[in-house]
Amino acid sequence: MDAVTPTDNAAVNMTPGFDIPDPSSIERLEGKVSDAEWAVRKELAATYRLCALHAWTDLVFTHISARLPDEDGEERFLINPYGVMFDEMTASSLVKIDLDGNIKQDTPYFINPAGFTIHSAVHSARHDAGCVIHVHTPYGIAVSIQKEGLRRYSQFSMQVYDDIAYHGYEGIALDLDERERLVADIGEKNLLILRNHGTLTMGENCAIAFLRMYFLENACKTQILAQAVGGAEHLNEEPPEMGARVFQQTAPAFAKGLGDNLVWPGLMRKLQRANPGYDY
């Protein structure tokens, strides 16, 4: 397939029979982009592979995005190329786009325009969102289906409970008008449960967004496991006051330069052992 240029309409014009290049075979971009861009590319590619290690993937149908430095006064972002699995993502294969999802680099890949609808809404409204992770996991979706959403059943949930917003289901995210409602729903929160759909977290960097997703996904999993005993009458839910106390106690874990510095280096070592190659 010929390289996709910035003027192409990404995935909209694709016809059956296209090729998806192996991400380990394309041109390496180190030295061909700025040092700042390359650093974000490596961090985001590592985040994709970490999500794969934790089974937070839906084949190629979910997305993680990261903010890049502006170019000529315009915002730039990275997102995954459509058709590349999370566990094979590389820094060079990630695709640079603008806020409207237009590709802004030469690349052999295309993107899923619908994949950036939710992310663009968050990035446009929240300039502190250096990274946005959106996943479709069985436990996260199971909680999103429940009318009362996440409950204060576990320490996992109380660590994030007071920072969670909810957004109603509107079908596949193709309608750009939905972005306004999503932004209104998330407000100043950093975690979002999309009803009947999945979960989303943001952070100043990939590490913080990943940490938030780690606690949110474990909270959802714990809730579903606990509910195996029956209805709410069989479960102990902590009161709002206790939830607020735990949330404040663990807030430093999500502060830039604290929790990310504590956990991220170890995660990078684990990734190098388990699945090296993200930094290609």
Side-chain angles (χ1 to χ4, degrees):
M1 184 178 68
D2 292 334
V4 178
T5 66
T7 57
D8 288 331
N9 196 14
V12 174
N13 293 330
M14 299 307 298
T15 57
F18 52 80
D19 294 322
I20 304 293
D22 183 334
S24 66
S25 68
I26 67 171
E27 179 184 20
R28 185 182 177 93
L29 293 183
E30 185 176 16
K32 298 177 175 64
V33 298
S34 69
D35 291 345
E37 179 175 329
W38 184 246
V40 177
R41 282 179 172 273
K42 290 193 297 181
E43 189 171 301
L44 182 58
T47 305
Y48 274 98
R49 294 199 182 203
L50 285 172
C51 285
L53 283 177
H54 287 79
W56 301 342
T57 69
D58 186 10
L59 295 178
V60 299
F61 300 109
T62 51
H63 311 275
I64 311 170
S65 59
R67 181 183 294 275
L68 286 171
D70 292 356
E71 291 182 350
D72 300 323
E74 294 186 1
E75 294 177 300
R76 295 287 183 262
F77 307 91
L78 289 174
I79 201 165
N80 50 319
Y82 211 10
V84 175
M85 306 294 270
F86 280 26
D87 65 353
E88 62 177 353
M89 200 67 65
T90 64
S92 298
S93 64
L94 292 163
V95 180
K96 179 164 45 176
I97 57 177
D98 64 16
L99 194 56
D100 294 319
N102 298 309
I103 294 176
K104 293 296 181 179
Q105 67 170 93
D106 289 329
T107 175
Y109 295 110
F110 57 95
I111 68 166
N112 177 5
F116 195 58
T117 300
I118 292 172
H119 293 253
S120 64
V122 178
H123 282 299
S124 65
R126 297 284 298 274
H127 289 271
D128 59 333
C131 176
V132 178
I133 301 176
H134 170 44
V135 298
H136 307 151
T137 67
Y139 292 112
I141 295 172
V143 169
S144 78
I145 293 169
Q146 298 184 17
K147 289 184 177 180
E148 295 190 0
L150 190 67
R151 309 290 293 269
R152 293 181 300 274
Y153 286 152
S154 68
Q155 182 168 283
F156 281 131
S157 65
M158 289 183 281
Q159 287 172 311
V160 295
Y161 186 92
D162 286 352
D163 203 17
I164 295 175
Y166 291 82
H167 176 65
Y169 187 64
E170 298 189 29
I172 303 297
L174 296 171
D175 185 356
L176 296 182
D177 291 343
E178 184 179 355
R179 293 187 296 187
E180 296 180 8
R181 295 182 288 276
L182 191 148
V183 166
D185 286 338
I186 198 167
E188 297 302 313
K189 304 290 189 181
N190 291 300
L191 301 92
L192 181 67
I193 291 179
L194 297 105
R195 293 289 190 182
N196 305 87
H197 182 175
T199 55
L200 178 147
T201 62
M202 71 181 79
E204 291 184 66
N205 54 36
C206 292
I208 294 173
F210 182 87
L211 278 174
R212 287 189 168 119
M213 185 60 75
Y214 175 84
F215 286 104
L216 178 56
E217 283 298 318
N218 276 285
C220 292
K221 182 177 182 178
T222 302
Q223 178 165 319
I224 298 303
L225 293 174
Q227 288 171 328
V229 302
E233 68 275 14
H234 298 288
L235 300 169
N236 179 62
E237 182 172 20
E238 293 293 335
E241 296 77 16
M242 180 56 73
R245 179 185 181 189
V246 173
F247 179 72
Q248 291 299 321
Q249 288 174 326
T250 57
F254 307 115
K256 188 176 181 180
L258 293 175
D260 50 352
N261 283 354
L262 184 65
V263 175
W264 196 250
L267 287 173
M268 292 302 95
R269 294 190 296 271
K270 178 178 181 178
L271 193 58
Q272 286 287 10
R273 294 190 302 270
N275 187 12
Y278 70 89
D279 51 353
Y280 176 81

